[in-house]
Amino acid sequence: MKTCCVSLFLFVPWAFFVAAMDYVWGFPFGYLIVPVIIWWVTKQSLRHLQIRFVLAFLLGSYGVSVYLAYLFENDWGYFFKPLTLSGVVHAWSVAILIGVLVILINYGAQK
């Protein structure tokens, strides 16, 4: 049960939801709070999941986020100046990926 919940949590399109929080509610702190939560869950999930599954779910989350950004790109206009919605999703996902890679390298070094 734990692995299912962790897997679903990592598969949520976080990059799109964080951009949506900023657009809809004007809550830019999601760009800082959500990565910390994702990194913590990633670190904890390595106890229950294999590395390849963690990366697969995070890549799935990125793919769904990019698809949703593509669908809503024109609706939100040029809100994220100088970036577009897709640019924000890509930049935020790269920041998450860097943190996840640091966690995975640290995890591999401990084994």
Side-chain angles (χ1 to χ4, degrees):
M1 181 66 182
K2 222 177 216 185
T3 58
C4 180
C5 293
V6 169
S7 302
L8 288 176
F9 178 83
L10 292 175
F11 190 71
V12 171
W14 288 112
F16 178 77
F17 287 150
V18 168
M21 282 192 303
D22 186 15
Y23 177 74
V24 174
W25 297 313
F27 186 72
F29 297 112
Y31 295 112
L32 301 173
I33 296 168
V34 174
V36 172
I37 295 170
I38 290 175
W39 293 331
W40 183 78
V41 168
T42 299
K43 186 176 179 184
Q44 299 301 318
S45 68
L46 289 173
R47 296 179 185 169
H48 308 289
L49 293 172
Q50 294 178 357
I51 291 174
R52 64 181 177 198
F53 291 120
V54 171
L55 289 176
F57 287 118
L58 288 172
L59 284 174
S61 170
Y62 170 72
V64 173
S65 292
V66 168
Y67 178 70
L68 289 172
Y70 172 76
L71 289 178
F72 289 95
E73 186 78 48
N74 294 329
D75 296 341
W76 292 1
Y78 200 57
F79 176 76
F80 300 101
K81 296 173 187 163
L83 298 173
T84 61
L85 176 60
S86 297
V88 170
V89 166
H90 290 302
W92 194 86
S93 296
V94 166
I96 293 297
L97 177 65
I98 290 170
V100 167
L101 289 177
V102 168
I103 291 169
L104 294 177
I105 290 169
N106 186 29
Y107 178 76
Q110 288 178 356
K111 278 198 153 194

